[in-house]
Amino acid sequence: MIVAVDGTSASGKGTLAAKLAQHFNLEPLDTGLLYRAVALSMITVGDNLEDQEKAANHAASLDYKSMDSPRLRNSDIGVASSKIAAFKSVRLILLDFQQKFAKNPPNGRSGTILDGRDIATVVCPEADSKIFVTANIEIRAKRRWKQLIQSDEPAIYARVLEDLRERDTRDSTRQNAPLRKDGDAITIDTSHLDAEQTFEMARKYIASRDLNRQRS
Ligand code: DC
């Protein structure tokens, strides 16, 4: 089974994917981390984020096994990753890894779950279940702001809101694989749902899709 979870920044899609992975015994891949790792690698050596050729070189030499640096989650890396994610050559390199990952769950797993922006539309159009997660931008900004404060990263609400707006615009208006809801996906608006309620909606949807799949 392949589950695709797409959505806007700070919509709760990462938390949802992690809970679904555990419940359905799926191997998870947070694809945003791949773009973040490319951006971090460029920033570390002082490369210009506007340089597509250099970005592609960093993507090609990415070490997929070292995606655990806490720095990857910082908001400056989030903004930087959204810039290099617009480059076609970077997306093509990362696409290959994501598609192989999706189709090859490790032994003992019932499938894979990938979360990102273009999973249902580009990476896994054949996914068995497709979920699009979003929420009101002010609510997302408030959640992200709280997370940053709790993790001791200094943050100003108005700045967090502005960053999210900028990323939403860049992610959904870029030419290559823009963020958009696939025609077959269900939408979950988490504005007024907590993590457990969001999970319950998605769990029921995936279970019903799986039942149909087994019957046909
Ligand atoms: O989900 P995230 O905030 O960690 O993603 C970081 C950036 O990476 C996001 O602004 C857009 C990009 N991204 C993408 O273009 N495609 C994906 N499948 C995942 C992330």
Side-chain angles (χ1 to χ4, degrees), residues 29 31-32 38 45 57 65 76 79 91 107 114-117 129 138 147 154-155 168 171 184-185 190 193 212:
L29 179 65
T31 64
V38 173
V45 298
N57 290 339
K65 288 188 193 84
D76 61 324
V79 174
R91 302 202 70 85
N107 276 345
L114 290 81
D115 76 276
R117 303 292 187 292
S129 298
E138 271 99 11
Q147 275 172 1
D168 276 5
D171 292 347
D184 295 332
T190 67
L193 301 176
N212 286 343

Side-chain angles (χ1 to χ4, degrees), residues 13 31-32 35-36 81-82 85 91 116-118 167 171 174:
K13 63 184 187 321
T31 64
Y35 293 91
R36 285 171 180 263
S81 61
S82 142
R91 302 202 70 85
R117 303 292 187 292
D118 62 338
R167 282 177 63 188
D171 292 347
R174 67 178 177 227

